[in-house]
Amino acid sequence: MAKKALVTGILGQDGPYLAKLLLDKGYKVYGLMRRYSNPSFDNLDYLGITKQVEFVEGDMADESSLLHLIKAILPDEVYNLAAQSFVGGSWQQAKLTTEINSLGVLYMLNAVKLFSPTTRYYQASTSEMFGLGNDDGYQDENTNFHPRSPYGISKVYAYWMTVNFRESYGLFTANGILFNHESPLRGIQFVTRKITDGVARIKLGLADKLALGNLDARRDWGFAGDYVEAMHLMLQQDKGDDYVVGTGENHSVRDFAREAFKCVGISDFEKYIVIDARFKRPAEVPDLKAKATKINALGWKPKVTFPELVKMMVEADLKRLKK
Ligand code: NAP
Ligand code: GDP
């Protein structure tokens, strides 16, 4: 019989890539979505899999909906990707961010424990938990957490609750501590997609400036399509564990912009950029770089390089805007 996976965050960036991977492996995929009067299936359509996903309604902030779904589906695997995932918005919506990203995880783990304790549970943890990182210039599974935003803090709670359900009740749980990963499906508010969309607009004469905040922040950016493979791999091990996932290479926001403008033949890119204080954060995470040797030892490696990622995103935005 086909394995059953419940994927939350099915309409976001990672949900569709993961759903495609699981469908290709023969899983039956249930996709949890909130109730919308007018939902957008664009990201699933982009990968051509909308019709293959079985949608179920629920909300991470509504415990009863999660209890009901776990009891009804009895999934072999749960991938909890749902979140208020935008760091920049988390200061303005700190309570909502906490309810979805922290309490929602407690509700989901509890539902698994009560109704389907053999389910394997994946938690979408994040390098934002490291925040200030450490002096070694990279972060791994042993690096201390020093989150710098309500988002990062909400995810630290979720991380520890995921560990605690493993230690207290023997559930199979795994934290994927993923560094930033991007794609043509990335939300437009995130800096990579904002840049590739802005560059495409400038190239096509639809805009003449791109407003950004801190150009010096450095991130370890990879391709979302590669990272969902790591999520699946974690749940195929003998026991649940926690893994850092990243490329081991980082670049500044300025580097990303330079590379994106290069894709459309513009070298004097800084003349198109304006610094707007609205896009700076009350507390910044200056520098993230993964040391992913633990997941590498399981056979996972990123395939898409930084220049390939930027090119893929710029080309997708050019195509979309030309339409
Ligand atoms: P995303 O594009 O923002 O997708 C998040 C999804 O969560 C959206 O589809 C959203 O649904 C859903 N969601 C939000 N609140 C919900 C609620 N109350 N109930 C049910 N669903 C809800 O994020 P992503 O980039 O795919 O990231 C996936 C996960 O990985 C997130 O947990 C994120 O925090 C984490 N993460 C991401 C990165 C990264 O670089 N992308 C790095 C580390 C960790 P709507 O469509 O209804 O808004
Ligand atoms: P994050 O790493 O999850 O916060 O992902 P983002 O893509 O939102 O931000 C990555 C980095 O880019 C952060 O250090 C931001 O401060 C920086 N940044 C600079 N300008 C912007 C901007 O205009 N929008 C966003 N979202 N981030 C920006």
Side-chain angles (χ1 to χ4, degrees), residues 86-87 128 180 189-192 194 211-214 217 219 253 279 281 284-285:
F86 184 49
V87 172
E128 285 294 317
N180 296 48
Q189 286 181 304
F190 294 88
V191 77
T192 54
K194 186 174 167 185
L212 295 171
N214 176 15
R219 290 290 181 273
V253 172
F279 301 117
R281 289 163 182 187
E284 178 62 284
V285 172

Side-chain angles (χ1 to χ4, degrees), residues 63-82:
E63 185 172 21
S64 64
S65 67
L66 304 184
L67 288 166
H68 167 76
L69 286 175
I70 294 295
K71 191 174 175 191
I73 298 170
L74 299 176
D76 296 286
E77 296 170 8
V78 168
Y79 294 87
N80 184 34
L81 310 183

Side-chain angles (χ1 to χ4, degrees), residues 8-15 32-34 36 58-61 80-86 100-101 124-127 151 155 176 178-182 185-187 190 231:
T8 73
I10 192 71
L11 304 181
Q13 172 188 248
D14 292 0
L32 182 140
M33 53 182 279
R34 302 191 259 195
Y36 274 105
D59 196 303
M60 295 304 294
N80 184 34
L81 310 183
Q84 190 303 91
S85 71
F86 184 49
I100 298 169
N101 299 6
S125 287
T126 166
S127 53
Y151 169 80
K155 288 281 189 172
L178 271 52
F179 283 60
N180 296 48
H181 46 279
E182 320 295 316
L185 306 186
R186 185 61 144 153
F190 294 88
M231 298 177 188

